[in-house]
Amino acid sequence: ELYARWIALGSLSTFFRSRVQTNMPPQEPWACGPQVEAISRKMIEERYRRLPYLYSLFDAAREHGDPPLRPLIYEHSGDATAATISDQFYFGPSVLAAPVVVQGQTLRRVYLPAGTYTDLDNDQAFVGPGTIDIAAPLEKFPRFARENAILPAWDVTQYVGQKVHETLYLDLYPVSGGAPGELTLYADDGATPAYQGGAYQRLTSRLETTTSATTLTLGKAQGSYSSSEKRLWLVFHGVRSQPTGATRDGQALTQLQKLEDLGTKDGWYYDAKDRIGHISVTFPRQGATLALTYDASQASSATVALKVDVTLPASTPAGDIYLATSKGDWTTTAVKLTRSGQQASATLTLQAGETLRFKVTRGSWATVEKTSGCAERDNREVLVKDEGGGKQSLAVSVDTWADACP
C-alpha cells in the first residue's frame, strides 16, 4: 500500500525514482504484487505523457521562479483555509493533487478553493470553495484540473527518446465564466546547453470560455528551436452539447466522421458518449486562434439532493434517528432524520461525484445499527449522482440495534 501511494505521489514530483540497493528488501514495482505493479505502470506512464507539461514548468521556474510544486496558498493568497492545507498541492498552475497519506484510507477529503475542478480520471466536475469526499481505493490518486486548464501531453513512451513525437496533445478543461487558463509551452533539444544561446521554443497559450465557445489562443513561437511535433491535437473535456462548428483563425474546420482521421487531417470531431470535443491542426508555430463553438453554459458540475429513506425494525423504541456520516466526521448525531413510525428520512445536499459513507444510529455508538446476526455492519456507501432533476433516492433497512444484541 505504501509503495503504491508513494509511486502515485512521486509521479508528480520533480524528482522521481524508486531506489534499490543491495541487502535491502526489493523495491521494484513487480516486487509488490500484480495490483501494485499495474498501479505503478499507470502512474509512470501518465508521468511520461505529461513530460511536456513538467518541462514547461521547469522553464517557468528558471525564468520566473514559479515552483513546479506549489502549496495551495501560492495560487490562492486570499484564502485563509488554503493556508492551513498541508496535505494537498498544485502541480504547476493547472493540477490540484490530493495524495492519500494515511494508512488504510480509502475515502479522501479534499479542500477545493474557489473555482471549478475536474477529476482527471473521470471528468467529474466539482465547485469550490468547500470540501468534498472522494472514494480513493488503492488505484485512485485524486487529481483535479483547474477551470480552463491547459495540460500538454505526448503519446505514451517507456523512456525518453524511445520515439520522435509528432503530435502534441493539449487536454483542455473549459468552464464558462471561469478565469482564463494560461501556460507557456516550452521545448528544446533536451540534451545540450544550446538553449542558452536561444535554441528553444516557447509558445504562449491562453484558454477562455464563454457561454457559446471555448477559444485557445497560441502566440507565435519564440526561439530558434523547432520541436518535432507536426500536429497539435486539442482535447476539450466536459463538452455537454453537440458543437456546431470549429474554426482556425476564423476559418471553418471540417467536421470529421472518425476520431482516428484527426491523426492526419485538419478538422474537428465530437465524442458524444464521453462528452469530449477534438480539434486537430498542423502545428501552428506562427500562432493561431482555435475555437470550438457549442453551448458551454451547461454546468459540468451538479448539486444533488440525496434523500435517504430508512426502514426501522419493529422493535425500535420511540426517539430520534440519526445518520453518522463520513461527511460529518462520524458524529453519531450528524444528520437528524424525520421519523414517522417505523420510517425515517433525511435529505442531504452533496455534489455529484462525491462518495458518502454512513451508518444509522439512535444517537450514540451504543445504539448504532447492527446486522441481523448482531455483527458489525460495514459502512454503507453511495456514489452521489443526479438521477434526474438534481435528485437521488436511496432506501435502506436496519436489521437491529447494538443495544438489542447480547
Side-chain angles (χ1 to χ4, degrees):
E1 178 191 6
L2 178 61
Y3 190 93
R5 298 300 194 189
W6 184 251
I7 284 287
L9 172 58
S11 70
L12 300 187
S13 174
T14 53
F15 185 68
F16 180 44
R17 69 177 181 180
S18 181
R19 182 180 177 90
V20 180
Q21 65 186 57
T22 57
N23 301 319
M24 295 294 289
Q27 297 292 319
E28 297 87 355
W30 51 86
C32 299
Q35 182 187 17
V36 173
E37 181 182 0
I39 292 169
S40 300
R41 178 179 293 109
K42 174 187 173 183
M43 291 291 100
I44 293 169
E45 289 186 342
E46 179 65 15
R47 179 183 179 86
Y48 274 71
R49 286 193 68 243
R50 295 297 177 194
L51 282 179
Y53 181 58
L54 183 59
Y55 211 54
S56 297
L57 296 183
F58 272 109
D59 178 61
R62 182 187 63 194
E63 290 293 303
H64 309 295
D66 295 321
L69 304 184
R70 310 171 183 185
L72 269 61
I73 193 64
Y74 191 88
E75 295 290 329
H76 304 277
S77 59
D79 186 329
T81 301
T84 69
I85 303 297
S86 60
D87 60 355
Q88 298 175 210
F89 64 93
Y90 271 102
F91 179 46
S94 303
V95 177
L96 177 65
V100 175
V101 295
V102 177
Q103 184 177 1
Q105 185 180 45
T106 58
L107 189 69
R108 180 62 157 95
R109 177 156 297 173
V110 181
Y111 176 70
L112 302 177
T116 299
Y117 298 81
T118 301
D119 190 320
L120 291 184
D121 290 326
N122 56 27
D123 280 357
Q124 177 64 56
F126 301 92
V127 176
T131 59
I132 57 172
D133 287 348
I134 297 293
L138 192 58
E139 65 274 11
K140 172 71 173 180
F141 178 16
R143 295 156 299 158
F144 305 86
R146 208 169 172 180
E147 59 189 20
N148 292 310
I150 303 167
L151 291 177
W154 282 331
D155 289 316
V156 171
T157 57
Q158 298 305 305
Y159 57 89
V160 172
Q162 182 183 17
K163 62 177 288 187
V164 175
H165 294 282
E166 296 189 345
T167 301
L168 178 67
Y169 302 90
L170 295 182
D171 285 294
L172 309 175
Y173 294 86
V175 174
S176 176
E182 295 183 342
L183 184 71
T184 297
L185 307 170
Y186 177 84
D188 58 29
D189 65 17
T192 75
Y195 68 90
Q196 296 175 353
Y200 58 79
Q201 175 183 280
R202 284 196 186 98
L203 285 169
T204 60
S205 63
R206 180 181 175 90
L207 187 71
E208 298 179 89
T209 305
T210 66
T211 57
S212 59
T214 296
T215 302
L216 179 73
T217 303
L218 296 166
K220 181 180 178 180
Q222 301 174 351
S224 61
Y225 178 78
S226 292
S227 60
S228 62
E229 293 92 358
K230 297 178 180 178
R231 300 203 67 78
L232 180 68
W233 189 322
L234 311 185
V235 183
F236 298 79
H237 294 260
V239 177
R240 302 175 70 84
S241 63
Q242 173 70 41
T244 57
T247 59
R248 174 175 182 169
D249 297 328
Q251 300 298 309
L253 292 168
T254 301
Q255 181 178 5
L256 303 179
Q257 299 306 307
K258 297 179 180 179
L259 180 63
E260 53 266 30
D261 288 344
L262 293 173
T264 57
K265 300 177 182 178
D266 287 12
W268 67 277
Y269 176 85
Y270 180 58
D271 181 343
K273 177 178 179 294
D274 291 332
R275 295 176 171 175
I276 295 177
H278 299 262
I279 292 178
S280 178
V281 296
T282 53
F283 201 89
R285 287 185 172 79
Q286 298 303 310
T289 299
L290 301 161
L292 185 70
T293 303
Y294 63 102
D295 181 4
S297 64
Q298 298 185 40
S300 54
S301 59
T303 298
V304 176
L306 170 64
K307 185 182 180 185
V308 181
D309 292 303
V310 181
T311 299
L312 308 173
S315 59
T316 302
D320 294 328
I321 306 296
Y322 302 89
L323 298 182
T325 70
S326 53
K327 196 75 173 177
D329 293 327
W330 295 107
T331 302
T332 55
T333 57
V335 179
K336 184 178 179 180
L337 282 67
T338 299
R339 181 176 178 179
S340 177
Q342 304 313 114
Q343 299 293 318
S345 66
T347 299
L348 295 79
T349 301
L350 301 163
Q351 292 198 53
E354 285 198 77
T355 293
L356 179 72
R357 293 176 180 170
F358 67 94
K359 286 184 176 180
V360 185
T361 82
R362 298 198 336 268
S364 70
W365 292 119
T367 57
V368 70
E369 62 173 320
K370 296 280 189 176
T371 68
S372 57
C374 284
E376 183 75 17
R377 173 173 288 284
D378 291 338
N379 294 331
R380 299 180 186 271
E381 181 173 308
V382 57
L383 176 63
V384 180
K385 58 184 178 181
D386 188 348
E387 295 178 338
K391 298 179 180 180
Q392 181 181 7
S393 297
L394 177 68
V396 301
S397 296
V398 173
D399 294 331
T400 190
W401 305 103
D403 60 344
C405 293

